[in-house]
Amino acid sequence: EAQVTQNPRYLITVTGKKLTVTCSQNMNHEYMSWYRQDPGLGLRQIYYSMNVEVTDKGDVPEGYKVSRKEKRNFPLILESPSPNQTSLYFCASNRHSGANVLTFGAGSRLTVL
Amino acid sequence: SQQGEEDPQALSIQEGENATMNCSYKTSINNLQWYRQNSGRGLVHLILIRSNEREKHSGRLRVTLDTSKKSSSLLITASRAADTASYFCATDLSYSGGGADGLTFGKGTHLIIQP
């Protein structure tokens, strides 16, 4: 089944404790991206990647890092999480041709205490 | 930066009725898409309409696009309880034909279908 898989789905952590949210897609998509969703703010893009070893900032990149060492994986790294990073995070991917239609993961709900 | 804005923010209708949601945007687009999100889950792509199209259908969904008014509408006919969800419009500003960098989402319309 074609899908985007995120882990963990739920995580409660404390301020300053480094964490990584993994994202993997099995559709051989070139493009991958991370969004965060907050009440009243909708979805905002954090980072995106056009292909392996190519990443760029989205609208809200502060406090986050990403890497794209393999085509299928695009982890989101919070080096020193803070409470304002409490949010619902989504990874998405799409093919680099034609229309820009995204396939989303199921989401990762992160709480930073 | 927010490009699309959905209206209304919330909509509650009876099962069987039609639901209409609107989306307005600010700059020229390559295409406009509608996505559905069930509570706390990932978004699912519903339909895409290109800038040179005016209307598109998919099952019970009908999307219109008016580029002169920079607006789009999503009509769900004969609504069902399972249509309860949030609906987002997303505008694709990219002209290269690909790239997640070109897709910007609105804040969504929360649709409730009363049985």
Side-chain angles (χ1 to χ4, degrees):
Chain A
E1 180 187 353
Q3 60 186 358
V4 177
T5 303
Q6 298 178 224
N7 280 296
R9 292 289 316 281
Y10 302 91
L11 180 62
I12 299 174
T13 189
V14 295
T15 298
K17 187 175 181 181
K18 181 181 178 180
L19 67 92
T20 299
V21 185
T22 63
C23 174
S24 180
Q25 51 94 3
N26 62 1
M27 296 166 283
N28 203 36
H29 285 169
E30 289 82 6
Y31 286 87
M32 298 185 74
S33 56
W34 276 101
Y35 291 83
R36 61 177 289 174
Q37 185 177 29
D38 302 288
L41 297 176
L43 275 89
R44 295 177 293 168
Q45 190 181 58
I46 303 171
Y47 268 95
Y48 64 93
S49 169
M50 291 188 286
N51 215 323
V52 175
E53 301 294 358
V54 180
T55 63
D56 213 338
K57 297 177 180 179
D59 295 322
V60 289
E62 294 78 21
Y64 304 94
K65 285 175 57 178
V66 292
S67 69
R68 188 86 183 276
K69 293 185 171 56
E70 305 164 285
K71 197 173 188 179
R72 63 182 292 124
N73 295 322
F74 190 44
L76 179 69
I77 304 157
L78 286 73
E79 292 273 1
S80 183
S82 61
N84 65 11
Q85 292 179 297
T86 292
S87 187
L88 180 58
Y89 291 87
F90 290 101
C91 181
S93 70
N94 65 296
R95 194 180 302 280
H96 178 46
S97 64
N100 191 7
V101 174
L102 293 178
T103 301
F104 280 84
S108 296
R109 188 170 292 281
L110 172 64
T111 301
V112 184
L113 302 175
Chain B
S1 57
Q2 216 74 37
Q3 160 76 326
E5 289 287 339
E6 292 91 344
D7 172 63
Q9 289 186 349
L11 178 62
S12 180
I13 61 173
Q14 295 295 124
E15 195 167 19
E17 293 180 339
N18 295 340
T20 300
M21 289 158 269
N22 303 296
C23 172
S24 59
Y25 57 92
K26 297 174 184 171
T27 61
S28 296
I29 60 172
N30 184 18
N31 63 69
L32 185 144
Q33 303 173 35
W34 286 90
Y35 287 78
R36 182 186 73 220
Q37 183 184 32
N38 291 95
S39 181
R41 294 178 172 268
L43 281 72
V44 175
H45 179 257
L46 292 176
I47 193 165
L48 177 150
I49 186 165
R50 299 185 189 280
S51 59
N52 62 353
E53 297 175 311
R54 293 296 166 258
E55 188 170 312
K56 206 158 181 184
H57 297 255
S58 176
R60 294 184 295 113
L61 305 180
R62 173 177 166 253
V63 170
T64 62
L65 180 65
D66 187 333
T67 53
S68 66
K69 295 181 180 177
K70 292 187 169 58
S71 67
S72 172
S73 68
L74 171 67
L75 168 68
I76 304 174
T77 60
S79 63
R80 305 167 181 169
D83 294 328
T84 293
S86 291
Y87 291 82
F88 294 84
C89 70
T91 48
D92 184 357
L93 308 181
S94 66
Y95 290 90
S96 62
D101 55 311
L103 203 58
T104 304
F105 287 83
K107 296 178 182 179
T109 291
H110 185 52
L111 175 65
I112 298 172
I113 307 299
Q114 311 266 13

